[in-house]
Amino acid sequence: MPDITAAQVPPQPSSRTSKPKLCMVIFNEVFQDGRVMRAARSAQEKYELTVVGIDRRHRDFDRRTERDKLGFDVQWAPLAWSTKLKRGQLGYAARYAEALMRTTQLCLRLRPDIMHVHEDSALPVGVMVKAITGAKLIYDAHELYRDSQPYVRLLWHKINGLLETGLMKFCDGIIACNRQRAQIMFREYGAPYLPTVISNMPMARQFTPSRYLTEYVTSRNPALKHVCLHQGSIQPSRGLEVTVEALSHLPADVALVLVGGGPEDYLNKIREVGTSLGVGDRLFIHPAVQEDQLFPITCSAQIGIVIYQNVCRNNYYCAPNKLYEYAAAGLPTVGANMPPISEFLAYYRSGEVFEPQDGASLARAIEKILASREGWQTYRNCGFAAAKENCWELESRKLLELYQRVLTGCRE
């Protein structure tokens, strides 16, 4: 590891503007990453911003058009030779090595004043650029990476954790998505100071009246009156079979809609569970939609579901943006009994909690909310109030303050 106590090459002021140069790095194609895009939009007015991603799919982006549309520059480090290798551990390692090399080269040419690296995969890039240019370094940990899977004890997972611990010592700022994750990173992961908490909140949105989901389900089953919605990735770790089990305990006029994509074999499994429980005509899997098209669909449901299974600490201390999206859409929420979810719902009184492995518990929470129109409206109003206090326009102030602190040499 290079000695970075003294920068070898001091950062150079921009020749085009007096704004400090900010470089964000994420190892994906950028545009589908909501957290990165929100951070970039917040920073673009005060910083000369470039977002660096990875062109993993060999898509031919019109960079000039995208830059003009967004108001900041986006560049993709192309992967070439490593993509010719077969999938597997060797192929993955080769693609990661090439990604590190190419993004580091690109960032060095940009000569930033601040490096903001998203996720642990990009952290080595930030450390190398800091070592060579003297740029300030901020690490944005989207997850608890070494606690993100049940197989946490695997050797490579342990090695990755040790690498994260070592590299965090060179960071001028560290970001976690919630209070619990920040404390774990500080007490157990070796973060040299308590990370700044910047939650994954959506932009403020105005409620959009819509009957989309009501019409979607009644066109298939006219007896349905109430729509329970789960939006987002349909993955086994969420335990969505429990939501289908809950449907079997609910009245025959209640529908469940899962909006999102997932592995086809798991989607088929969900359908099979619905058929076996006799609720196949009340269970609907809606294809994933673009983020900018999702909110009106959310607004058209009656209840929002947030569910994770406690298979790892990353799930237990989850940071679901669905909590805030449902609140803005006026959806009373039923949430898995995990600290970040239960604390939010208890504080704002915008929903009820349930035991995530128990379909009957989920059904009871839904029935409590649907028990009366007046009670449902009370939960709804509490959600609207919560949304006013939990939006990116307010949360982003912490990010801009962090940039200013590290620029002036005030380490966390």
Side-chain angles (χ1 to χ4, degrees):
M1 179 62 61
D3 180 6
I4 61 172
T5 56
Q8 297 169 332
V9 182
Q12 301 295 317
S14 170
S15 59
R16 294 188 288 122
T17 176
S18 58
K19 296 179 181 178
K21 288 185 176 182
L22 170 63
C23 180
M24 289 189 187
V25 181
I26 180 70
F27 276 20
N28 60 32
E29 285 80 16
V30 178
F31 290 109
Q32 298 303 314
D33 196 308
R35 184 172 177 87
V36 174
M37 293 299 291
R38 285 189 291 272
R41 290 190 176 103
S42 298
Q44 65 180 356
E45 291 187 7
K46 295 187 176 182
Y47 295 87
E48 183 184 330
L49 172 64
T50 302
V51 180
V52 174
I54 301 294
D55 186 4
R56 297 178 295 188
R57 301 175 184 172
H58 300 284
R59 293 163 60 183
D60 185 17
F61 291 103
D62 183 343
R63 296 180 181 180
R64 183 182 297 275
T65 300
E66 295 295 344
R67 181 193 62 197
D68 292 344
K69 181 172 65 176
L70 293 172
F72 54 86
D73 190 20
V74 181
Q75 298 188 30
W76 292 268
L79 300 186
W81 58 268
S82 63
T83 59
K84 300 176 183 178
L85 299 176
K86 293 182 180 180
R87 292 184 178 273
Q89 292 187 2
L90 179 61
Y92 174 80
R95 284 187 287 276
Y96 182 56
E98 185 177 14
L100 287 176
M101 178 187 70
R102 292 186 180 277
T103 52
T104 300
Q105 291 173 339
L106 200 161
C107 293
L108 287 173
R109 289 198 298 270
L110 295 170
R111 306 191 69 78
D113 299 295
I114 303 177
M115 286 288 294
H116 181 166
V117 297
H118 291 264
E119 305 206 61
D120 61 343
S121 55
L123 185 52
V125 175
V127 172
M128 288 303 299
V129 174
K130 175 174 182 174
I132 295 171
T133 71
K136 301 295 184 180
L137 175 58
I138 294 174
Y139 168 43
D140 196 333
H142 294 195
E143 311 285 349
L144 288 175
Y145 298 102
R146 64 191 82 177
D147 281 306
S148 61
Q149 296 291 343
Y151 49 78
V152 66
R153 295 182 180 179
L154 289 181
L155 179 60
W156 68 266
H157 217 71
K158 293 291 187 181
I159 294 173
N160 187 62
L162 292 173
L163 183 64
E164 182 187 37
T165 296
L167 296 183
M168 280 193 294
K169 294 179 172 61
F170 301 112
C171 296
D172 301 285
I174 301 172
I175 298 172
C177 292
N178 61 33
R179 172 178 54 82
Q180 293 90 346
R181 290 182 177 183
Q183 290 172 345
I184 289 172
M185 291 179 71
F186 179 53
R187 295 172 180 173
E188 301 179 36
Y189 284 13
Y193 42 82
L194 188 66
T196 299
V197 175
I198 301 179
S199 299
N200 193 24
M201 295 178 182
M203 304 294 291
R205 292 175 175 177
Q206 188 68 33
F207 172 73
T208 305
S210 171
R211 288 182 51 80
Y212 178 88
L213 286 179
T214 299
E215 295 173 355
Y216 179 79
V217 301
T218 56
S219 66
R220 294 158 174 82
N221 183 344
L224 299 174
K225 296 180 180 179
H226 306 288
V227 178
C228 298
L229 168 68
H230 178 279
Q231 65 185 37
S233 180
I234 303 175
Q235 300 290 340
S237 64
R238 300 288 173 88
L240 289 169
E241 300 93 334
V242 176
T243 65
V244 183
E245 179 193 344
L247 193 60
S248 69
H249 296 285
L250 290 166
D253 61 355
V254 178
L256 170 65
V257 181
L258 310 179
V259 177
E264 192 60 35
D265 57 345
Y266 185 61
L267 299 182
N268 289 333
K269 179 181 179 181
I270 293 293
R271 295 185 183 100
E272 290 170 2
V273 172
T275 300
S276 67
L277 293 174
V279 295
D281 61 339
R282 298 194 279 138
L283 168 66
F284 305 90
I285 299 179
H286 188 291
V289 299
Q290 294 292 327
E291 184 178 2
D292 59 355
Q293 300 171 1
L294 179 60
F295 189 64
I297 295 177
T298 309
C299 291
S300 67
Q302 280 75 56
I303 287 181
I305 300 173
V306 183
I307 184 169
Y308 293 84
Q309 293 302 310
N310 186 15
V311 295
C312 59
R313 286 204 299 177
N314 191 60
N315 276 15
Y316 188 68
Y317 296 113
C318 53
N321 56 9
K322 281 190 285 292
L323 275 178
Y324 314 117
E325 292 166 352
Y326 291 159
L331 292 193
T333 299
V334 288
N337 189 14
M338 295 176 180
I341 299 173
S342 59
E343 289 176 8
F344 181 91
L345 295 178
Y347 183 81
Y348 289 104
R349 301 181 180 180
S350 56
E352 297 292 332
V353 298
F354 65 93
E355 297 307 317
Q357 73 285 354
D358 186 350
S361 174
L362 171 54
R364 288 192 296 270
I366 292 172
E367 287 184 312
K368 184 174 182 179
I369 292 175
L370 292 177
S372 70
R373 177 71 184 183
E374 295 76 14
W376 178 85
Q377 188 64 51
T378 298
Y379 287 112
R380 179 181 176 86
N381 291 339
C382 289
F384 284 139
K388 292 180 181 179
E389 298 179 11
N390 294 272
C391 62
W392 182 250
E393 286 82 350
L394 299 177
E395 194 72 2
S396 63
R397 296 174 184 175
K398 301 177 186 177
L399 178 62
L400 298 179
E401 291 170 358
L402 178 59
Y403 288 158
Q404 187 60 34
R405 288 203 301 273
V406 301
L407 270 180
T408 56
C410 297
R411 192 173 181 175
E412 287 294 294

